[in-house]
Amino acid sequence: MTRYSKRNTVSRRRFLSATILAGAMLPFAAACGKKENAGQLPDVTTSPSDCRDLSGVSAEDLAIREKLAYVNESPIPENECSNCNLYLPPTDERKCGGCMLFKGPVEAKGYCTYWAPKIEG
Ligand code: SF4
């Protein structure tokens, strides 16, 4: 197998894993009345100090965070958002981390009951 095709295999595996996990979340999101939210990027904030500000997060997304038992500090040191397959790290356009399952900022050291190991590429 060439190096190029190995990368494609890993990318495809990552994509399928994230898709399956996000799909598994859809019934839950629908039950919360926000099915269309699953997989959307978090809102952009202007500085890292805003990343714990939930004032712009909808009641529905707050309910999803609560149902998933999201916390800003993981109780399991080896399992945190930064090594979860559903974590969206900060970018130039998005100053705070996020999650594929709900809108709003997510801490790299956070955690929820949907934590899934990151598939390294
Ligand atoms: Fe999202 Fe939970 Fe993974 Fe954090 S641990 S990135 S909140 S699924």
Side-chain angles (χ1 to χ4, degrees):
M1 183 179 288
T2 66
R3 188 175 177 175
Y4 176 75
S5 63
K6 184 177 179 183
R7 267 197 206 139
N8 278 350
T9 301
V10 171
S11 293
R12 186 170 38 235
R13 193 178 307 144
R14 262 185 114 153
F15 172 78
L16 288 172
S17 175
T19 302
I20 290 167
L21 286 169
M25 187 60 195
L26 284 178
F28 172 76
C32 291
K34 290 292 281 183
K35 182 177 177 180
E36 68 278 5
N37 252 5
Q40 289 187 5
L41 298 177
D43 296 331
V44 173
T45 57
T46 54
S47 73
S49 64
D50 293 333
C51 292
R52 289 197 177 189
D53 180 2
L54 299 178
S55 60
V57 179
S58 71
E60 290 86 357
D61 282 302
L62 290 174
I64 293 172
R65 293 168 86 97
E66 191 172 325
K67 292 263 185 187
L68 296 178
Y70 172 79
V71 290
N72 286 326
E73 303 285 335
S74 176
I76 306 168
E78 62 273 16
N79 297 359
E80 58 184 33
C81 292
S82 66
N83 62 15
C84 174
N85 208 38
L86 300 173
Y87 182 62
L88 301 167
T91 65
D92 288 343
E93 296 79 32
R94 190 180 62 241
K95 299 297 181 196
C96 302
C99 177
M100 293 183 194
L101 301 180
F102 52 83
K103 289 176 83 175
V106 165
E107 295 282 334
K109 298 232 174 260
Y111 172 80
C112 86
T113 55
Y114 258 68
W115 181 89
K118 189 176 206 167
I119 300 170
E120 298 296 335

